[in-house]
Coordinates of all heavy atoms in Angstrom, one line a residue:
G1 N 0.8 -1.2 0.0 CA 0.0 0.0 0.0 C 0.9 1.3 0.0 O 2.0 1.2 0.3
E2 N 0.2 2.4 -0.2 CA 0.8 3.6 -0.3 C 0.9 4.3 1.1 O -0.1 4.2 1.9 CB 0.0 4.6 -1.2 CG 0.8 5.7 -1.7 CD 0.0 6.4 -2.8 OE1 -0.4 5.7 -3.8 OE2 -0.2 7.7 -2.5
A3 N 2.0 4.7 1.5 CA 2.2 5.4 2.8 C 1.7 6.8 2.8 O 1.7 7.5 1.9 CB 3.7 5.4 3.1
S4 N 1.0 7.1 3.9 CA 0.4 8.4 4.0 C 1.0 9.1 5.2 O 0.9 8.6 6.3 CB -1.1 8.4 4.1 OG -1.7 9.6 4.3
Y5 N 1.5 10.3 5.1 CA 2.2 11.1 6.1 C 2.1 12.5 5.9 O 2.0 12.9 4.8 CB 3.6 10.6 6.4 CG 4.5 10.9 5.3 CD1 5.3 12.2 5.4 CD2 4.6 10.2 4.1 CE1 6.1 12.5 4.3 CE2 5.5 10.5 3.1 CZ 6.2 11.7 3.2 OH 7.0 12.0 2.2
V6 N 2.3 13.3 7.0 CA 2.3 14.8 6.9 C 3.9 15.1 7.1 O 4.5 14.8 8.0 CB 1.5 15.4 7.9 CG1 1.6 16.9 7.9 CG2 0.0 15.0 7.8
A7 N 4.3 15.9 6.0 CA 5.8 16.2 6.1 C 6.1 17.4 7.1 O 7.3 17.4 7.5 CB 6.2 16.6 4.6
S8 N 5.2 18.2 7.4 CA 5.5 19.3 8.3 C 4.3 19.9 9.1 O 3.2 19.5 8.7 CB 6.1 20.4 7.4 OG 5.1 21.1 6.7
L9 N 4.4 20.6 10.0 CA 3.5 21.2 10.7 C 2.6 22.1 9.9 O 1.4 22.1 10.0 CB 3.9 22.0 12.0 CG 2.9 22.4 13.0 CD1 2.0 21.4 13.5 CD2 3.6 23.1 14.2
A10 N 3.3 23.0 9.0 CA 2.6 23.7 8.1 C 1.6 23.0 7.2 O 0.6 23.4 6.9 CB 3.6 24.6 7.3
E11 N 2.1 21.8 6.7 CA 1.3 21.0 5.9 C 0.1 20.4 6.6 O -1.1 20.4 6.0 CB 2.1 19.8 5.2 CG 1.2 19.0 4.3 CD 2.1 17.8 3.7 OE1 3.3 17.7 4.1 OE2 1.5 17.1 3.0
A12 N 0.3 20.1 7.9 CA -0.8 19.6 8.7 C -2.0 20.7 8.9 O -3.2 20.4 8.7 CB -0.4 19.2 10.1
F13 N -1.5 22.0 9.1 CA -2.5 23.1 9.1 C -3.2 23.2 7.7 O -4.4 23.5 7.7 CB -1.8 24.3 9.5 CG -1.7 24.5 11.0 CD1 -0.5 24.3 11.6 CD2 -2.7 24.9 11.9 CE1 -0.3 24.4 13.0 CE2 -2.6 25.0 13.1 CZ -1.4 24.8 13.8
W14 N -2.5 23.1 6.7 CA -3.0 23.2 5.3 C -4.2 22.1 5.0 O -5.1 22.4 4.6 CB -1.8 23.1 4.3 CG -2.3 23.2 2.9 CD1 -2.6 22.2 2.0 CD2 -2.5 24.5 2.2 NE1 -2.9 22.8 0.8 CE2 -2.9 24.2 0.9 CE3 -2.4 25.8 2.6 CZ2 -3.2 25.1 0.0 CZ3 -2.7 26.8 1.6 CH2 -3.0 26.4 0.4
I15 N -3.7 20.9 5.5 CA -4.7 19.8 5.4 C -5.8 20.0 6.1 O -6.9 19.7 5.8 CB -3.9 18.5 5.7 CG1 -2.9 18.1 4.6 CG2 -4.9 17.3 5.8 CD1 -1.9 17.0 5.0
A16 N -5.7 20.7 7.3 CA -6.9 20.9 8.2 C -7.8 22.0 7.8 O -8.8 22.3 8.3 CB -6.3 21.2 9.6
G17 N -7.4 22.7 6.7 CA -8.1 23.8 6.2 C -7.7 25.3 6.4 O -8.4 26.1 5.9
S18 N -6.5 25.4 6.8 CA -6.0 26.7 6.9 C -5.7 27.3 5.6 O -5.2 26.6 4.7 CB -4.7 26.8 7.8 OG -4.9 26.4 9.1
Q19 N -6.0 28.6 5.3 CA -5.7 29.2 4.1 C -4.4 29.6 3.8 O -3.7 29.6 2.8 CB -6.7 30.4 3.8 CG -8.2 30.0 3.7 CD -9.0 31.1 3.5 OE1 -8.6 32.3 3.4 NE2 -10.3 30.9 3.4
S20 N -3.7 29.9 5.0 CA -2.3 30.3 5.0 C -1.7 30.1 6.3 O -2.4 30.0 7.3 CB -2.1 31.8 4.6 OG -2.8 32.6 5.5
V21 N -0.3 29.9 6.3 CA 0.5 29.6 7.5 C 1.8 30.2 7.4 O 2.4 30.2 6.3 CB 0.7 28.0 7.7 CG1 1.6 27.7 8.8 CG2 -0.5 27.2 7.7
V22 N 2.2 31.0 8.4 CA 3.5 31.5 8.5 C 4.3 30.5 9.4 O 3.9 30.2 10.5 CB 3.6 32.9 9.2 CG1 5.0 33.3 9.4 CG2 2.9 34.0 8.2
A23 N 5.4 30.0 8.9 CA 6.1 28.9 9.6 C 7.7 29.2 9.6 O 8.1 29.9 8.7 CB 5.9 27.6 9.1
S24 N 8.4 28.7 10.5 CA 9.8 28.8 10.5 C 10.5 27.6 9.9 O 10.0 26.5 10.0 CB 10.4 29.1 11.9 OG 10.1 28.0 12.7
L25 N 11.6 27.9 9.3 CA 12.3 26.7 8.6 C 13.3 26.1 9.6 O 13.9 25.0 9.3 CB 13.0 27.3 7.4 CG 12.1 27.8 6.2 CD1 12.9 28.4 5.2 CD2 11.2 26.7 5.7
W26 N 13.6 26.8 10.7 CA 14.6 26.3 11.6 C 14.2 26.7 13.0 O 13.3 27.6 13.1 CB 16.0 26.6 11.3 CG 16.3 28.1 11.1 CD1 16.3 29.1 12.0 CD2 16.4 28.8 9.8 NE1 16.7 30.3 11.4 CE2 16.6 30.1 10.0 CE3 16.4 28.3 8.5 CZ2 16.9 31.1 9.0 CZ3 16.7 29.2 7.5 CH2 16.9 30.6 7.7
A27 N 14.8 26.2 14.0 CA 14.7 26.8 15.4 C 15.0 28.3 15.4 O 16.1 28.7 14.9 CB 15.6 26.0 16.4
V28 N 14.3 29.1 16.0 CA 14.4 30.6 15.9 C 14.6 31.2 17.3 O 14.4 30.5 18.3 CB 13.2 31.2 15.3 CG1 13.1 30.8 13.9 CG2 11.9 30.9 16.0
N29 N 15.2 32.4 17.3 CA 15.5 33.1 18.5 C 14.1 33.8 19.1 O 13.4 34.3 18.3 CB 16.5 34.2 18.2 CG 16.7 35.2 19.3 OD1 16.0 36.2 19.5 ND2 17.8 34.8 20.1
D30 N 14.0 33.5 20.3 CA 12.7 34.0 21.0 C 12.5 35.6 20.8 O 11.5 36.0 20.5 CB 12.6 33.7 22.4 CG 12.4 32.1 22.7 OD1 12.0 31.6 21.7 OD2 12.7 31.7 23.8
E31 N 13.5 36.4 21.2 CA 13.5 37.8 21.2 C 13.2 38.3 19.8 O 12.4 39.1 19.5 CB 14.8 38.3 21.7 CG 14.7 39.8 21.9 CD 15.9 40.4 22.6 OE1 16.8 39.7 22.9 OE2 15.9 41.6 22.8
S32 N 14.0 37.9 18.7 CA 13.8 38.3 17.3 C 12.5 37.9 16.9 O 11.8 38.7 16.1 CB 14.9 38.0 16.4 OG 15.0 36.5 16.3
T33 N 12.0 36.7 17.2 CA 10.7 36.3 16.7 C 9.5 36.9 17.4 O 8.5 37.2 16.6 CB 10.6 34.6 17.0 OG1 11.7 34.0 16.3 CG2 9.3 34.2 16.5
S34 N 9.7 37.3 18.6 CA 8.7 38.1 19.2 C 8.5 39.4 18.5 O 7.4 39.9 18.2 CB 9.0 38.4 20.7 OG 8.1 39.2 21.4
L35 N 9.6 40.1 18.3 CA 9.6 41.4 17.6 C 8.9 41.3 16.2 O 8.1 41.9 15.7 CB 11.0 42.0 17.4 CG 11.2 43.2 16.6 CD1 10.4 44.3 17.1 CD2 12.6 43.5 16.6
L36 N 9.4 40.2 15.4 CA 8.9 39.9 14.1 C 7.3 39.7 14.1 O 6.8 40.3 13.3 CB 9.6 38.8 13.4 CG 9.3 38.5 12.0 CD1 10.7 38.2 11.2 CD2 8.3 37.4 11.8
M37 N 6.9 38.9 14.9 CA 5.5 38.6 14.9 C 4.6 39.8 15.4 O 3.5 39.9 14.8 CB 5.2 37.3 15.8 CG 5.6 36.0 15.3 SD 4.8 35.8 13.7 CE 6.0 34.6 12.9
T38 N 5.1 40.5 16.3 CA 4.5 41.7 16.8 C 4.3 42.8 15.5 O 3.2 43.2 15.3 CB 5.2 42.5 17.9 OG1 5.2 41.5 19.0 CG2 4.6 43.7 18.3
E39 N 5.4 42.9 14.8 CA 5.4 43.7 13.7 C 4.5 43.2 12.5 O 3.8 43.9 11.8 CB 6.7 44.1 13.1 CG 7.6 45.0 14.2 CD 6.9 46.2 14.5 OE1 6.3 46.9 13.7 OE2 6.9 46.5 15.7
F40 N 4.6 41.8 12.4 CA 3.7 41.2 11.3 C 2.2 41.5 11.6 O 1.5 41.9 10.7 CB 4.0 39.8 11.4 CG 3.2 38.9 10.5 CD1 3.2 39.1 9.1 CD2 2.2 38.0 11.0 CE1 2.4 38.1 8.2 CE2 1.3 37.3 10.3 CZ 1.5 37.3 8.8
Y41 N 1.8 41.2 12.9 CA 0.4 41.5 13.2 C 0.0 43.0 13.1 O -1.2 43.3 12.8 CB 0.0 40.8 14.4 CG -0.1 39.3 14.2 CD1 0.9 38.4 14.7 CD2 -1.2 38.7 13.5 CE1 0.8 37.0 14.5 CE2 -1.3 37.4 13.2 CZ -0.4 36.5 13.7 OH -0.4 35.1 13.5
K42 N 0.9 43.8 13.4 CA 0.5 45.3 13.3 C 0.3 45.6 11.8 O -0.6 46.4 11.6 CB 1.7 46.1 13.9 CG 1.8 46.3 15.4 CD 3.0 47.3 15.7 CE 3.3 47.2 17.1 NZ 4.5 48.1 17.5
A43 N 1.1 45.1 11.0 CA 1.0 45.4 9.5 C -0.2 44.7 9.1 O -1.0 45.4 8.2 CB 2.3 44.9 8.8
L44 N -0.6 43.6 9.4 CA -1.9 42.9 9.0 C -3.1 43.7 9.5 O -4.0 44.0 8.7 CB -2.0 41.6 9.6 CG -1.4 40.5 8.9 CD1 -1.6 39.1 9.7 CD2 -1.8 40.3 7.5
K45 N -3.1 44.2 10.7 CA -4.0 45.0 11.3 C -4.3 46.4 10.6 O -5.3 46.9 10.3 CB -3.9 45.4 12.8 CG -5.0 46.0 13.4 CD -4.8 46.1 14.9 CE -5.9 46.7 15.6 NZ -5.8 46.9 17.0
A46 N -3.1 46.9 10.0 CA -3.1 48.1 9.3 C -3.6 47.9 7.8 O -3.8 48.9 7.1 CB -1.7 48.8 9.2
G47 N -3.9 46.7 7.4 CA -4.4 46.4 6.1 C -3.5 45.9 5.1 O -3.8 45.6 3.9
D48 N -2.3 45.6 5.4 CA -1.3 45.0 4.5 C -1.7 43.5 4.3 O -2.2 42.8 5.1 CB 0.1 45.1 5.0 CG 0.8 46.4 5.0 OD1 0.3 47.3 4.1 OD2 1.6 46.7 5.9
S49 N -1.3 43.1 3.0 CA -1.4 41.7 2.7 C -0.5 40.9 3.6 O 0.4 41.4 4.2 CB -1.1 41.4 1.3 OG 0.3 41.5 1.0
K50 N -0.7 39.5 3.8 CA 0.2 38.7 4.6 C 1.6 38.8 4.1 O 2.5 38.8 4.8 CB -0.5 37.3 4.6 CG -1.8 37.1 5.3 CD -2.3 35.8 5.1 CE -3.8 35.9 5.2 NZ -4.5 35.2 4.2
A51 N 1.7 38.6 2.8 CA 3.1 38.7 2.2 C 3.8 40.0 2.5 O 5.0 40.0 2.9 CB 3.0 38.4 0.8
E52 N 3.1 41.2 2.3 CA 3.7 42.5 2.6 C 4.0 42.7 4.1 O 5.0 43.2 4.5 CB 2.8 43.6 2.1 CG 3.3 45.0 2.3 CD 4.7 45.2 1.6 OE1 5.0 44.5 0.7 OE2 5.3 46.3 2.0
A53 N 3.0 42.2 5.0 CA 3.2 42.2 6.4 C 4.4 41.5 6.8 O 5.3 42.0 7.7 CB 2.0 41.8 7.0
L54 N 4.7 40.3 6.4 CA 5.8 39.5 6.6 C 7.0 40.2 6.1 O 8.1 40.2 6.9 CB 5.7 38.1 6.1 CG 6.8 37.2 6.4 CD1 7.2 37.0 7.8 CD2 6.7 35.8 5.8
R55 N 7.1 40.7 4.9 CA 8.2 41.4 4.4 C 8.6 42.7 5.3 O 9.8 42.9 5.6 CB 7.9 41.9 3.0 CG 9.1 42.5 2.2 CD 8.8 43.2 0.9 NE 8.2 44.5 1.2 CZ 8.7 45.6 1.6 NH1 10.0 45.6 1.8 NH2 8.0 46.7 1.8
K56 N 7.6 43.4 5.6 CA 7.8 44.6 6.4 C 8.5 44.2 7.8 O 9.4 44.9 8.3 CB 6.6 45.4 6.7 CG 6.2 46.2 5.5 CD 5.0 47.1 5.8 CE 4.6 48.0 4.7 NZ 3.3 48.7 4.9
A57 N 7.9 43.1 8.3 CA 8.4 42.6 9.7 C 9.8 42.1 9.6 O 10.6 42.5 10.5 CB 7.5 41.6 10.2
Q58 N 10.1 41.4 8.5 CA 11.5 40.9 8.3 C 12.4 42.1 8.1 O 13.5 42.1 8.7 CB 11.5 40.0 7.1 CG 10.9 38.6 7.4 CD 10.7 37.8 6.2 OE1 10.4 38.1 5.1 NE2 11.1 36.5 6.4
M59 N 12.0 43.1 7.3 CA 12.9 44.2 7.1 C 13.2 45.1 8.5 O 14.3 45.5 8.6 CB 12.4 45.2 6.1 CG 12.3 44.5 4.7 SD 13.8 43.8 4.1 CE 14.8 45.3 3.8
L60 N 12.1 45.2 9.3 CA 12.2 45.9 10.5 C 13.3 45.1 11.5 O 14.2 45.7 12.0 CB 11.0 46.1 11.2 CG 11.0 47.0 12.4 CD1 9.8 48.0 12.5 CD2 11.0 46.2 13.7
V61 N 13.0 43.8 11.6 CA 14.0 43.0 12.5 C 15.3 43.2 11.9 O 16.4 43.3 12.6 CB 13.6 41.5 12.5 CG1 14.5 40.7 13.2 CG2 12.2 41.5 13.3
R62 N 15.5 43.1 10.5 CA 16.9 43.1 9.9 C 17.5 44.5 10.2 O 18.8 44.4 10.3 CB 16.7 43.0 8.5 CG 17.9 42.9 7.6 CD 17.7 42.8 6.1 NE 18.8 42.9 5.4 CZ 18.9 43.0 4.1 NH1 17.8 43.1 3.4 NH2 20.1 43.1 3.5
S63 N 16.8 45.5 10.4 CA 17.3 46.8 10.5 C 18.0 47.1 11.9 O 18.7 48.0 12.1 CB 16.3 47.9 10.2 OG 15.3 48.0 11.2
D64 N 17.5 46.2 12.8 CA 18.1 46.2 14.2 C 19.4 45.6 14.2 O 19.6 44.5 13.8 CB 17.1 45.5 15.2 CG 17.6 45.6 16.5 OD1 18.7 45.6 16.8 OD2 16.7 45.5 17.5
E65 N 20.5 46.3 14.5 CA 21.8 45.8 14.5 C 22.0 44.5 15.2 O 22.8 43.6 14.8 CB 22.7 46.9 15.1 CG 24.2 46.6 14.9 CD 25.0 47.8 15.5 OE1 24.9 48.9 14.9 OE2 25.7 47.6 16.5
K66 N 21.3 44.3 16.3 CA 21.3 43.0 17.1 C 20.9 41.9 16.3 O 21.3 40.7 16.5 CB 20.5 43.3 18.3 CG 20.5 42.1 19.3 CD 19.7 42.5 20.6 CE 19.6 41.4 21.5 NZ 18.9 41.8 22.7
F67 N 19.9 42.1 15.4 CA 19.3 41.0 14.7 C 19.6 41.1 13.2 O 18.9 40.4 12.3 CB 17.8 41.0 14.9 CG 17.4 40.9 16.3 CD1 16.6 41.7 16.9 CD2 17.9 39.8 17.1 CE1 16.2 41.8 18.2 CE2 17.5 39.8 18.4 CZ 16.6 40.7 19.0
A68 N 20.6 41.7 12.7 CA 21.0 41.9 11.3 C 21.2 40.6 10.5 O 20.9 40.5 9.3 CB 22.1 42.9 11.1
H69 N 21.8 39.6 11.2 CA 22.2 38.4 10.5 C 20.9 37.7 10.1 O 19.9 37.7 10.9 CB 23.0 37.4 11.6 CG 23.5 36.3 10.8 ND1 22.8 35.2 10.6 CD2 24.8 36.0 10.4 CE1 23.6 34.3 10.0 NE2 24.7 34.8 10.0
P70 N 20.8 37.0 8.9 CA 19.7 36.4 8.4 C 19.1 35.3 9.3 O 17.9 35.0 9.2 CB 20.2 35.9 7.1 CG 21.3 36.7 6.7 CD 22.0 37.1 7.9
Y71 N 19.9 34.8 10.1 CA 19.4 33.7 11.1 C 18.1 34.3 11.8 O 17.2 33.6 12.1 CB 20.4 33.4 12.1 CG 19.9 32.7 13.3 CD1 19.5 31.3 13.2 CD2 19.8 33.4 14.5 CE1 19.0 30.7 14.4 CE2 19.2 32.8 15.7 CZ 18.9 31.4 15.7 OH 18.3 30.9 16.8
Y72 N 18.2 35.5 12.1 CA 17.2 36.1 13.0 C 15.8 36.5 12.2 O 14.8 36.6 12.9 CB 17.7 37.4 13.7 CG 18.7 37.1 14.7 CD1 20.1 37.3 14.3 CD2 18.5 36.6 16.0 CE1 21.1 37.1 15.3 CE2 19.5 36.2 16.8 CZ 20.7 36.5 16.4 OH 21.8 36.3 17.4
W73 N 15.9 36.6 11.0 CA 14.7 37.1 10.3 C 14.3 36.4 9.1 O 13.2 36.4 8.6 CB 14.8 38.7 9.9 CG 16.0 38.9 9.1 CD1 17.3 39.4 9.7 CD2 16.2 38.9 7.8 NE1 18.2 39.5 8.6 CE2 17.5 39.2 7.5 CE3 15.4 38.5 6.7 CZ2 18.1 39.3 6.2 CZ3 15.8 38.6 5.4 CH2 17.2 38.9 5.3
S74 N 15.2 35.6 8.5 CA 14.9 35.1 7.2 C 14.3 33.6 7.2 O 14.0 33.1 6.2 CB 16.2 35.1 6.3 OG 17.2 34.2 6.8
G75 N 14.2 33.2 8.3 CA 13.7 31.7 8.5 C 12.2 31.5 8.4 O 11.7 30.5 8.4
F76 N 11.5 32.7 8.2 CA 10.0 32.6 8.1 C 9.5 32.6 6.7 O 10.0 33.5 5.9 CB 9.4 33.8 9.0 CG 9.8 33.6 10.4 CD1 10.9 34.2 11.0 CD2 8.9 32.8 11.3 CE1 11.2 34.0 12.3 CE2 9.2 32.7 12.6 CZ 10.3 33.3 13.1
V77 N 8.6 31.6 6.4 CA 7.9 31.7 5.0 C 6.4 31.6 5.2 O 5.9 31.2 6.2 CB 8.4 30.5 4.3 CG1 10.0 30.7 3.9 CG2 8.2 29.1 5.0
L78 N 5.9 32.1 4.2 CA 4.3 32.2 4.1 C 3.9 31.1 3.1 O 4.3 31.1 2.1 CB 3.8 33.5 3.8 CG 2.4 33.8 3.4 CD1 1.6 33.5 4.6 CD2 2.1 35.1 2.9
F79 N 3.1 30.2 3.7 CA 2.5 29.1 2.8 C 1.1 29.4 2.5 O 0.3 29.9 3.4 CB 2.5 27.8 3.6 CG 4.0 27.2 3.7 CD1 4.6 27.4 4.9 CD2 4.7 26.4 2.8 CE1 5.8 26.9 5.2 CE2 5.9 25.9 3.0 CZ 6.5 26.2 4.2
G80 N 0.6 29.2 1.3 CA -0.8 29.4 1.1 C -1.1 30.8 0.6 O -0.3 31.4 -0.2
D81 N -2.3 31.3 0.8 CA -2.8 32.5 0.4 C -2.0 33.6 0.9 O -1.9 33.9 2.1 CB -4.3 32.6 0.8 CG -5.0 33.9 0.2 OD1 -4.4 34.6 -0.6 OD2 -6.2 34.1 0.6
W82 N -1.4 34.4 0.0 CA -0.4 35.5 0.3 C -1.2 36.8 0.6 O -0.7 37.7 1.1 CB 0.6 35.7 -0.7 CG 0.0 35.9 -2.1 CD1 -0.3 35.0 -2.9 CD2 -0.5 37.2 -2.6 NE1 -0.9 35.6 -4.1 CE2 -1.0 36.9 -4.0 CE3 -0.4 38.5 -2.2 CZ2 -1.4 37.9 -4.7 CZ3 -0.9 39.5 -3.0 CH2 -1.4 39.2 -4.3
R83 N -2.6 36.9 0.2 CA -3.3 38.1 0.3 C -3.7 38.4 1.6 O -3.9 38.0 2.7 CB -4.5 38.1 -0.6 CG -4.2 38.0 -2.1 CD -5.3 37.7 -2.9 NE -5.6 36.2 -2.7 CZ -6.6 35.6 -3.1 NH1 -7.5 36.2 -3.8 NH2 -6.7 34.3 -3.0

């Protein structure tokens, strides 16, 4: 028979019916992630698309000298509906 499995948590949410998921590709830093997610949701609330909100949040985190290295901001991806 054919094996059935879920490859990632993001895929599990997709299968369960989520239209979009923001997920990290690796273990992330708590402080930079808190800043990134706070800014992401601020931008969403202001009316930006999910893709634009994530981009803005990543750029803001990146602009902080403490979190300039890509490890802190580039590990997040948006799956699904970007609007």
Side-chain angles (χ1 to χ4, degrees):
E2 202 172 303
S4 179
Y5 67 94
V6 176
S8 70
L9 187 57
E11 184 180 1
F13 278 101
W14 183 263
I15 290 168
S18 295
Q19 293 181 1
S20 57
V21 175
V22 174
S24 63
L25 298 173
W26 53 77
V28 293
N29 175 271
D30 289 342
E31 189 178 355
S32 62
T33 299
S34 176
L35 176 59
L36 187 135
M37 288 300 159
T38 298
E39 295 303 318
F40 173 72
Y41 283 105
K42 280 183 190 177
L44 279 180
K45 189 174 180 181
D48 288 334
S49 70
K50 294 171 207 132
E52 180 64 10
L54 181 58
R55 186 193 73 78
K56 283 182 177 179
Q58 288 175 315
M59 296 307 289
L60 187 136
V61 172
R62 180 181 176 194
S63 71
D64 185 328
E65 191 175 291
K66 185 177 176 180
F67 303 126
H69 191 280
Y71 162 77
Y72 295 102
W73 54 268
S74 69
F76 294 90
V77 293
L78 172 64
F79 295 94
D81 185 4
W82 56 270
R83 295 169 283 168

